[in-house]
Amino acid sequence: MSIKPLKELSTLVSLCKRRGFIFQSSEIYGGLNSCWDYGPLGAQFKLNVKMSWWREMTRRADIVGLDAAILMHPTVWKASGHVDGFSDPLVDCKACKHRFREDTAMVDGKVTCPKCGSTDVTESRSFNLMFKTHMGPVDNEGAVVYLRPETAQGIFVNFENVATSMRKKIPFGIAQIGKSFRNEITPGNFTFRTREFEQMEMQYFVKPGTDEEWFEHWKEVRWSYYGKLGLNQEKLRYKEHGPDELAHYAKAAFDVQYEFPFGWQELEGVHNRSDFDLSQHQEFSGKKLEYFEEASKDRFVPYVIETAVGCDRLALALLCDAYREEPEQDNRVVLGLRPELAPVKVAFLPLSKKPELQELSQKLHQQALEHWEADYDETASIGKRYRRQDEIGTPLCVTVDFDSLEDQKVTVRHRDSMAQDRVAMDQLHSYVGDKLRNW
Ligand code: ATP
């Protein structure tokens, strides 16, 4: 069967709006640039993405979770280097007034406006990406706090708390999911780059000297995660940062890149952050952040291997990857998401609006809701309802027809093959559970 993958991002954007995945923020006021709201299906889908990551990371003996505050002591951001160094070079095009990042707009060694192609541009100015706000009623410099631009610092400043309270011995990791904010100069490509986004970060603390080995280990573990999510391996690759691309804290860095409809782009960063962060916090806070290793009697500031992925960005990659059109099936659109990621696992569809069929379908729907996200739909023709479920990625549809009232069986239709099985109602729960588990 021939399959057409996603060509244009705009096709996905309209599906997301039409089917309740993602809406423009404050749309009735004309929207707010680069801000997006996850609708009912998008919210569930994104939660499933987060759960898959959280499970992968924290269901191990050597990693624990954390949920730190967005607002942190302002000195954190001095120590981390963000106050002085977290900035992008900003340039304005004199011809079309477009504003862009100098480092992303070099053509043949010349800064070139990505919008109109002019090289008549202003000198670059350094623009700090952190959002500033004020804490308390007094709006002065002393009350400045920042919306965190990354979740990692919440982990570093809690290193000691976590190690002590959880009796963790090195090597161990701390995983966290949370919102971050960056006043990006050029947000865009739907949810790919936004100013408010969610990150899923894990910092793994190791003994200096073992960091390179652990770095390789985490590169492999993270690669295998994307396979488990079902992402097309041909659209994934690792890209190493050259010496001039490395962030101020990094000893080594690899990006996992995904081929979006708008090109190869970073999905996740795997970084060897050395002992930079803990040493900085030790210096700025005056608190010792050393680790004492019982066995060797060594005392050291741990090195950190970090894996950092944007939840929204991964969700977007998964949607792009899952989207397909099937020309031989009347151009049916399918989101081929793995069942654990699909926002609805099973939908109940009475064949017609006859009360007996509605009642039975609703009863089965209620029973299913105890175990899975389940939908009920009685509008439009059965064919249209199947297509609607295909478009949101629902793996299984259960149809209740007139025979069901007699033989106590229902028809289960599979999203990918469109095959249909007749299943006894008292077997339905184990049938659905089995299919979802062994997809
Ligand atoms: P970029 O080079 O794309 O600006 P980065 O290298 O600064 O990203 P990191 O600081 O390593 O990104 O952040 C880790 C992850 O967080 C990224 O791989 C990405 O998935 C996500 N991320 C970073 N900035 C944004 C953003 N503005 N919008 C959505 N996700 C983001």
Side-chain angles (χ1 to χ4, degrees):
M1 188 172 54
S2 67
I3 279 170
K4 285 207 307 210
L6 183 70
K7 283 265 162 14
E8 303 283 339
L9 188 63
S10 57
T11 311
L12 185 71
V13 176
S14 73
L15 185 152
C16 285
K17 173 161 186 190
R18 193 170 65 247
R19 294 291 179 221
F21 276 85
I22 302 173
F23 309 126
Q24 194 177 18
S25 163
S26 325
E27 193 183 306
I28 60 168
Y29 288 98
L32 182 64
N33 187 18
S34 102
C35 294
W36 301 93
D37 296 342
Y38 287 80
L41 295 188
Q44 181 63 54
F45 169 59
K46 196 170 151 189
L47 195 59
N48 297 346
V49 173
K50 286 192 262 190
M51 278 312 295
S52 85
W53 184 89
W54 187 256
R55 251 187 255 118
E56 167 87 4
M57 285 302 184
T58 62
R59 284 199 190 161
R60 306 172 37 129
D62 58 349
I63 299 186
V64 289
L66 182 78
D67 182 6
I70 288 173
L71 300 176
M72 301 181 74
H73 193 287
T75 311
V76 166
W77 305 110
K78 291 208 177 79
S80 69
H82 284 82
V83 170
D84 295 327
F86 192 56
S87 39
D88 278 342
L90 183 143
V91 168
D92 288 303
C93 172
K94 288 185 186 164
C96 76
K97 310 288 177 232
H98 181 56
R99 180 164 282 178
F100 56 94
R101 266 167 65 175
E102 183 185 42
D103 54 331
T104 58
M106 297 299 267
V107 178
D108 299 333
K110 274 202 159 160
V111 185
T112 307
C113 173
K115 204 163 183 189
C116 74
S118 169
T119 51
D120 189 14
V121 300
T122 62
E123 286 286 306
S124 77
R125 286 165 288 148
S126 179
F127 173 74
N128 194 296
L129 300 181
M130 281 199 292
F131 278 96
K132 248 187 200 177
T133 186
H134 296 91
M135 191 121 161
V138 190
D139 185 352
N140 65 21
E141 271 307 299
V144 162
V145 288
Y146 302 95
L147 302 188
R148 67 179 174 198
E150 63 176 26
T151 54
Q153 301 303 325
I155 289 180
F156 297 131
V157 300
N158 277 300
F159 166 72
E160 191 69 32
N161 281 337
V162 172
T164 312
S165 62
M166 303 306 289
R167 307 167 314 281
K168 281 289 163 207
K169 295 207 166 30
I170 272 177
F172 78 92
I174 305 177
Q176 175 169 220
I177 300 178
K179 287 255 176 168
S180 292
F181 302 81
R182 295 181 188 178
N183 204 355
E184 299 276 4
I185 297 169
T186 43
N189 285 324
F190 199 21
T191 52
F192 176 80
R193 187 182 299 286
T194 52
R195 296 191 170 110
E196 171 182 347
F197 55 97
E198 249 173 316
Q199 288 188 306
M200 307 191 285
E201 296 201 283
M202 192 281 299
Q203 271 69 34
Y204 199 77
F205 300 90
V206 304
K207 189 173 184 179
T210 65
D211 51 303
E212 289 178 16
E213 215 174 296
W214 279 110
F215 184 66
E216 289 308 316
H217 169 81
W218 278 107
K219 269 175 61 193
E220 279 170 35
V221 174
R222 294 308 296 153
W223 186 261
S224 82
Y225 171 70
Y226 291 112
K228 287 187 225 165
L229 288 183
L231 277 179
N232 180 352
Q233 298 278 307
E234 282 168 20
K235 286 183 175 279
L236 283 171
R237 70 180 185 197
Y238 259 124
K239 185 164 177 294
E240 185 172 9
H241 285 214
D244 52 338
E245 293 171 299
L246 284 178
H248 59 278
Y249 54 75
K251 182 175 156 187
F254 272 76
D255 288 344
V256 179
Q257 291 190 332
Y258 177 79
E259 192 179 15
F260 288 90
F262 43 90
W264 286 96
Q265 296 286 345
E266 172 178 341
L267 193 56
E268 165 159 351
V270 182
H271 309 130
N272 181 343
R273 294 183 74 126
S274 71
D275 59 359
F276 176 82
D277 304 275
L278 290 183
S279 300
Q280 288 289 102
H281 287 305
Q282 188 165 261
E283 189 186 325
F284 278 74
S285 70
K287 299 273 182 331
K288 277 255 168 283
L289 294 176
E290 287 174 344
Y291 178 82
F292 177 68
E293 193 177 55
E294 287 285 349
S296 64
K297 307 286 177 225
D298 285 346
R299 201 176 280 283
F300 54 84
V301 176
Y303 267 44
V304 171
I305 309 302
E306 158 181 273
T307 74
V309 54
C311 173
D312 310 82
R313 208 176 270 191
L314 174 55
L316 180 63
L318 286 162
L319 289 174
C320 290
D321 210 65
Y323 181 96
R324 65 169 190 260
E325 289 168 25
E326 297 179 0
E328 288 151 33
Q329 296 298 336
D330 221 7
N331 278 327
R332 120 177 141 126
V333 172
V334 183
L335 276 189
L337 294 167
R338 289 203 46 79
E340 58 272 27
L341 297 175
V344 175
K345 314 295 186 214
V346 53
F348 291 85
L349 318 172
L351 191 64
S352 77
K353 281 190 183 168
K354 284 274 176 305
E356 312 90 282
L357 301 188
Q358 287 173 322
E359 206 177 295
L360 182 52
S361 307
Q362 282 166 1
K363 191 177 114 195
L364 294 174
H365 178 220
Q366 280 306 321
Q367 287 169 355
L369 282 171
E370 287 176 24
H371 307 279
W372 306 288
E373 290 74 36
D375 196 4
Y376 171 81
D377 188 3
E378 58 176 30
T379 60
S381 72
I382 190 73
K384 279 209 180 117
R385 281 180 278 162
Y386 281 149
R387 293 298 148 98
R388 199 181 285 160
Q389 295 297 334
D390 290 342
E391 241 191 329
I392 65 170
T394 307
L396 300 170
C397 287
V398 175
T399 306
V400 175
D401 56 26
F402 287 102
D403 290 341
S404 308
L405 302 172
E406 305 301 323
D407 66 4
Q408 303 298 306
K409 288 181 177 171
V410 288
T411 301
V412 183
R413 181 232 188 220
H414 292 235
R415 178 192 71 200
D416 294 340
S417 63
M418 292 188 283
Q420 304 196 349
D421 282 343
R422 197 77 184 156
V423 179
M425 274 185 244
D426 59 2
Q427 300 292 313
L428 189 61
H429 175 248
S430 64
Y431 178 94
V432 171
D434 182 55
K435 293 293 171 205
L436 294 176
R437 265 191 311 276
N438 305 303
W439 196 252

